[in-house]
Amino acid sequence: MIWIYGPIWALLALTFSLLIRAAAKRIVAVRKKQLNYKIVQNLDYREMPQDILLAGRSYDNQFQQPVLFIILLGFLSFHSIETLIWMIAAWSYVALRFWHAFEHISARNLKRRTYAFGLSALLLMAMWLTFLLTQLL
């Protein structure tokens, strides 16, 4: 079941890189006096520049779907379920999350960001449904 660690480590790397990006952007903006300390302290999103806001939201987003994904991988590990299909699905999900994060922080194309989000959500739902059905049948 060692393959399960790869997708988890990849998502951890994504999450921590987004954390560093969000924090660094806020710190630099406050030091350059482009952003008031009180705005950051109070998380006043109306006053926050778009790139800083998107970096923070992209980081926050990693604690939604990906948490459900990691729980699912834990169940797969517990039940010793390891097939090529699960491995492909897991890495596909990770790739979609990276794509979504990239589209989120670049703020270039809402349509692509929506596709990445929607596809990752559908894949995660399909993975959970498949797992639950195999456990019930």
Side-chain angles (χ1 to χ4, degrees):
M1 293 301 298
I2 291 189
W3 74 268
I4 283 179
Y5 293 114
I8 292 172
W9 290 335
L11 283 178
L12 286 173
L14 175 62
T15 301
F16 288 132
S17 67
L18 291 170
L19 168 65
I20 292 166
R21 178 185 177 86
K25 283 190 159 294
R26 288 177 183 177
I27 291 167
V28 167
V30 168
R31 284 191 177 159
K32 288 184 174 181
K33 305 215 185 293
Q34 297 168 335
L35 184 62
N36 184 303
Y37 176 78
K38 289 288 185 190
I39 291 170
V40 175
Q41 182 181 16
N42 297 324
L43 291 175
D44 187 354
Y45 295 122
R46 295 167 298 168
E47 299 291 326
M48 206 168 282
Q50 183 183 21
D51 63 324
I52 296 171
L53 178 65
L54 290 175
R57 286 187 175 166
S58 188
Y59 169 69
D60 290 344
N61 195 264
Q62 297 309 311
F63 297 96
Q64 297 167 11
Q65 283 186 35
V67 171
L68 297 175
F69 173 73
I70 292 171
I71 291 168
L72 175 61
L73 290 185
F75 281 128
L76 293 177
S77 179
F78 179 78
H79 291 285
S80 298
I81 299 172
E82 55 178 311
T83 64
L84 182 60
I85 296 296
W86 279 107
M87 194 180 314
I88 291 169
W91 280 108
S92 296
Y93 179 79
V94 169
L96 288 167
R97 294 306 302 167
F98 270 82
W99 179 29
H100 178 258
F102 172 77
E103 294 296 342
H104 203 162
I105 60 176
S106 68
R108 295 185 310 176
N109 191 312
L110 181 59
K111 190 181 231 182
R112 284 196 307 250
R113 185 173 105 195
T114 302
Y115 286 147
F117 180 84
L119 289 171
S120 67
L122 288 172
L123 178 56
L124 184 60
M125 284 187 277
M127 290 170 70
W128 267 104
L129 184 60
T130 300
F131 172 73
L132 292 172
L133 287 175
T134 60
Q135 295 307 302
L136 293 174
L137 301 178

